[in-house]
Amino acid sequence: MSSRSRSRPGTTERGLPVRLSAYLGAASLAAAAMVADTGPAHAQQAPAANKGSVGWDTYRDPSGLTQLRGSEQSGQFSSFARDGSNDDGFEGTYSCLRNSERGCVIAERAGAGEISSMWFTREPWGDVTGTGNITIELDGRTVLDAPLIDVVSGRVGAPFVWPLVGNAEDSAGGAVIKVPMPYRESMRVTVQNNPAFYHVDYRTFADAEGVQTFDPADPAQDVIDRLRRFGIADPKGPAEGAQPTRRDFSVAPGTAAPVAQLEGPGQVNEFRLRIPQVVPSPRVVDDGRAFGAGGGSRFDAAVHPDNEGVRIVRRFDPQVADQVAGLSVNGAPAGEWRSGAAEPGGWGVQAIDVPPEITAGQSTVEVANRFVSSSKDVNEFRYDVQSKVNGEWVRTDVLDVGPAHPGEEAAHGYRIDNSVFAREKLVGRYAFPPEQVTASEHLLETARVRITFDGQTTVDAPIGEFFGSGLGEFDVRSMMSSIDPGDGGWYTAWWPMPFNRSATVEIVNGGGVPIDGMTAEVTTAPAEATENTGYFHATHKRGNTTPGQDWNFVQAQGSGTFYGVTHSMRGLIPPQTNRHPQQPMSMSQADEAANQRNYLEGDERFYVNGSPSPAWHGTGSEDYYESGWYFRDGTTFSMPLAGNPSHEVNGDGCQYDCTGAYRQQVPDAVPFNDGLVAGIEHGPDNDEPGDYSSTAYWYGGKPASQQQVDEIDLADPRSREQHGYTAEGETTAPLTSTFEGDADDQQHNGQVASATGPIRFQVGLNPDNSGGRLTRLADQAQAYQQVEVRVDGQPAGTWMQPLGNGTSRWLQDSFDLPPALTQGKDSVQVELVPVGGAPAWTAARYTVFGH
């Protein structure tokens, strides 16, 4: 396959593909040039005590990612198989918590919190039409009641529009809702029909201070505008006093080159690299459209208002010969696309430089193409738009055309006349010499980004994976990072990185060849770090998967917040080894004699604060990356917070089948007070071989923010007596069972008490606490155990546990005591009153932590 670029009148020859980044609705384009800031339409609230940013403020001020979360907790409802099998939704066995008059309840909580993210898929290929209506109730009020397919397709309207929502075309087999929906007292999510596979990620708060219930009438247009710039511009916007430091340098093998030596206090707001000797990975999967005689296409694109000219780059399929189309910008002729003779098997790339007088002073332009002639039709797969600013080309917009990008097309006002085909998937290659591709992949794996803050090295990861791609130079477009594999393209990270005294940014060459002609730019701004500010970490690891053990992204100590991962999965399943014929198969599996992607059957599991019960338990690897059906059998995609930029098969450094994916948990971060283990299975039984690598993004480096201060062992009469423990209607029984998750093959023995009446006990606290946490070890054989909690006679909220599991019956869950009821006290009286109609309340042990 070959890459094609031709020099024609009005065009600029370019030999490399140019990566694009989808964003920007037509209404927002004028205010969203790459370096411009739309500015928030609403004043940002200061983070509430013991909470991160709530609601839309999570997106409005990403600098808040650095602040630790106090007593906030994160959890997930999902359809994972409670019996430990791989039936995570194929039969819908575990997809309903309960059934109500409205349908299947899939998430339900009491107390203050936030629905932060939702994902669904079902057959065929992620079309969720069969799920019917979704109903979301917050604080007793219905805030959404509409067909799920309409919601994820953007037909309900703002704020439920792309990219805050996406359907199975946008997300390669998954359907997502990324609208944060806070609530003060309760939430419930119900779908009309069994949804098959789903996740609902949520946050819980100890109190409702600073929490405003989600208002569906607020379109949050400023958030939509900001997110539609993903992969193009810093989501934090420009910072006052920001100063860029740029350096050109080379790095000899086995040495480290300092990029920037910074003095604090301050914050790194942007870090970017340019590596001329790296070539893009040749295998690119894309979809596109074509127009015939008398037809054409048009779309709106953002350009820099101070541009000295604009360059438009088109990716096309050159198998169709003699394609000729006229290009106009704002109605003025700007050049002609000409493909030349047919050249099957590769991608074609052509660029046209638009005369400066057409675009000068503009921030939005209309790009139009009109059919002139062709042996068949004129096709288009992707457009990059670049603006020349101060003599340098910068990317200011991207439009990825095709039926797999409906949200992106609509946001750009894309129209096509006399459409003659809409191709869903074309696998093409660029003709880079294999030795250059191999050398580039080796460089991106062995050269590392190393950053030291205040004397602590917290970032040490391969360049490729740090910026979003561990399998080579692939097009990465996400909210917090970007890789542009075009000529002069940058690798960019926008994670805020605060420091107090100093920061050192280095590139370490761990390979055997020099790295020449690199350029780095680090932009810093004044910032004040507090004791609640975490250091940015990028934690890398690589190795072979271990049978029976999750692949751990990170095992962190102390307190912090986990924000996601870039994950490179190199499956090592040889052909013709379908070793799990009894497992339910996706459509792609059913068509193949062997399933070399069976490693994707692994579920994510996150354990917080040493709990043996996972706070998150997912349904599959591509599901965690918010896609479905093995990424629709290898269809790559990019959304702001999740994507699958790369899929390699039997070549380009991949022995069998390899997948590169990212997930950025900006709205659904996982806070921890005393340690985190975040990992993922590799195969349905954690048994498929693989060469895995990952880079996890998190903030921390702080001591544990919770301390155990008391414990009641209900099997110990003396412990009961010391705490004045009483329970009405109590019975006790032994329990031998397992916990869910990675240790579901390890039996635990204990004595469980069940009570149908009020439970009372006294527990100790530290007087200087900022709240307390009551943790229960319980039997979850019966779902929907529920009690009203009182502290020293004052209502503290409802402790409700909708989960149930008759196979792995042990469960540890927690209830946060509001600071207003615990501060200044060295002990409190706790009363738990079972709610009428609920099953008996169970517990083997209560542990008390002070914050």
Side-chain angles (χ1 to χ4, degrees), residues 171-532:
S171 298
V176 296
I177 301 173
K178 311 300 285 190
V179 174
M181 290 177 266
Y183 51 91
R184 294 176 59 84
E185 298 175 355
S186 64
M187 72 87 159
R188 181 185 298 129
V189 181
T190 308
V191 290
Q192 183 178 357
N193 304 314
N194 190 301
F197 299 84
Y198 82 92
H199 301 165
V200 176
D201 308 333
Y202 64 92
R203 305 161 64 187
T204 66
F205 309 136
D207 55 39
E209 181 184 350
V211 179
Q212 296 180 359
T213 305
F214 169 73
D215 179 4
D218 178 4
Q221 190 62 48
D222 63 305
V223 174
I224 295 167
D225 293 345
R226 189 181 293 258
L227 282 178
R228 285 179 173 177
R229 299 163 63 189
F230 75 95
I232 295 288
D234 186 346
K236 303 184 298 298
E240 185 176 351
Q243 294 291 331
T245 300
R246 182 180 288 205
R247 183 184 175 210
D248 298 321
F249 63 101
S250 298
V251 194
T255 67
V259 171
Q261 302 276 359
L262 307 169
E263 298 299 323
Q267 178 171 285
V268 175
N269 274 350
E270 181 182 77
F271 171 43
R272 59 181 189 157
L273 285 176
R274 193 160 52 195
I275 317 173
Q277 72 191 67
V278 171
V279 300
S281 295
R283 188 180 192 270
V284 173
V285 181
D286 202 1
D287 62 320
R289 301 187 185 275
F291 50 84
S297 67
R298 62 184 61 228
F299 60 92
D300 300 309
V303 298
H304 196 290
D306 297 329
N307 74 82
E308 302 155 8
V310 168
R311 174 175 290 165
I312 301 174
V313 185
R314 163 182 169 246
R315 178 156 73 203
F316 63 97
D317 177 7
Q319 296 182 77
V320 176
D322 301 322
Q323 301 176 49
V324 182
L327 171 70
S328 63
V329 175
N330 286 343
E336 253 188 7
W337 304 113
R338 289 179 173 269
S339 70
E343 198 167 308
W347 287 112
V349 175
Q350 188 178 19
I352 294 178
D353 283 354
V354 180
E357 57 269 22
I358 297 177
T359 61
Q362 303 292 313
S363 57
T364 307
V365 296
E366 182 186 65
V367 178
N369 303 290
R370 180 56 55 183
F371 183 95
V372 175
S373 62
S374 174
S375 62
K376 185 177 181 181
D377 53 42
V378 174
N379 64 68
E380 51 193 8
F381 283 73
R382 174 171 159 160
Y383 289 97
D384 286 270
V385 179
Q386 300 176 341
S387 300
K388 193 173 187 179
V389 182
N390 297 325
E392 181 175 274
W393 290 104
V394 294
R395 185 178 55 181
T396 50
D397 205 353
V398 171
L399 169 60
D400 210 336
V401 173
H405 297 87
E408 188 169 342
E409 288 185 338
H412 284 82
Y414 176 81
R415 294 87 80 199
I416 186 168
D417 301 321
N418 192 23
S419 174
V420 295
F421 84 72
R423 186 156 188 173
E424 293 186 355
K425 181 179 176 182
L426 180 64
V427 180
R429 296 181 61 83
Y430 291 103
F432 300 110
E435 61 275 12
Q436 287 190 30
V437 174
T438 300
S440 296
E441 292 182 355
H442 180 73
L443 187 156
L444 294 177
E445 290 176 3
T446 59
R448 306 171 74 87
V449 176
R450 187 167 68 192
I451 309 179
T452 302
F453 301 107
D454 296 336
Q456 303 178 53
T457 298
T458 63
V459 174
D460 192 354
I463 287 176
E465 207 162 75
F466 175 80
F467 288 101
S469 174
L471 297 179
E473 189 181 79
F474 284 93
D475 176 8
V476 175
R477 294 175 288 137
S478 70
M479 178 176 174
M480 303 308 298
S481 64
S482 167
I483 294 179
D484 176 2
D487 289 342
W490 292 92
Y491 299 18
T492 308
W494 293 294
W495 297 100
M497 308 179 199
F499 55 95
N500 281 311
R501 301 181 306 275
S502 64
T504 302
V505 183
E506 302 173 283
I507 299 298
V508 181
N509 185 355
V513 298
I515 308 175
D516 297 320
M518 296 182 74
T519 301
E521 186 174 274
V522 178
T523 300
T524 58
E528 293 292 337
T530 69
E531 62 180 14
N532 199 45

Side-chain angles (χ1 to χ4, degrees), residues 646-669:
S646 57
H647 178 219
E648 296 180 329
V649 182
N650 302 327
D652 303 321
C654 176
Q655 184 177 4
Y656 297 123
D657 184 281
C658 303
T659 303
Y662 63 85
R663 173 76 181 270
Q664 294 175 1
Q665 296 181 217
V666 173
D668 48 0

